[in-house]
Amino acid sequence: MSGDPFRPARKITHAGALAMIAAAVAEATRLGAPVNVVVVDESGVDLAFVRMDGAKFLSIETARAKAQTSASHRRPSTRIPADIATGLAFASGGRITDMAGGLPVFIDGACVGGIGIGSASDEDDIAIARAALAAVGADEV
């Protein structure tokens, strides 16, 4: 084996995940759009979650799928090609989706996780996710 068998990695901290949640809730409140917010790490594991009063309870799972999709594929959930989205959703047990509202979290060009927003319109879900990324200084996607 040549070289170092390890690589350095940045991680979203608990405080960072909560800052993202707080920014998302603030933007959702401003928009009058109660939502579910899920922040996952680079492996798709939940770090933080909130369901705002009035958010649709079934959107908890879509928000999680959006976050996991974005972390796994390192792109917005809407950039999953439509022609393979159904197959990927089936193969992943519903953990991959092409629904709007999922964004990857990039710091200095490295994907450290994802955020998923569910229960509002597509445009509001994306705006809320972008506000959360801005709160922690994540790269624009």
Side-chain angles (χ1 to χ4, degrees):
M1 175 169 53
S2 65
D4 189 346
F6 302 99
R7 60 181 172 187
R10 299 201 59 185
K11 303 283 184 183
I12 301 174
T13 64
H14 180 238
L18 291 178
M20 292 176 72
I21 293 278
V25 167
E27 182 66 5
T29 300
R30 187 185 75 75
L31 293 171
V35 294
N36 297 289
V37 183
V38 178
V39 177
V40 300
D41 68 11
E42 74 283 357
S43 299
V45 175
D46 288 7
L47 294 174
F49 159 76
V50 68
R51 177 179 175 219
M52 294 176 66
D53 295 340
K56 300 171 189 138
F57 69 87
L58 289 178
S59 293
I60 295 168
E61 295 310 318
T62 59
R64 181 170 289 114
K66 293 172 187 184
Q68 290 175 335
T69 297
S70 294
S72 174
H73 290 268
R74 285 141 172 72
R75 65 182 78 173
S77 52
T78 54
R79 291 198 194 147
I80 298 299
D83 59 328
I84 62 170
T86 301
L88 289 174
F90 181 75
S92 68
R95 293 175 57 190
I96 297 177
T97 183
D98 63 351
M99 296 174 69
L103 295 176
V105 181
F106 278 95
I107 300 294
D108 299 329
C111 186
V112 297
I115 184 165
I117 310 296
S119 203
S121 69
D122 289 353
E123 296 78 21
D124 285 350
D125 281 354
I126 293 168
I128 293 164
R130 287 192 186 287
L133 294 181
V136 294
D139 302 344
E140 294 216 13
V141 203

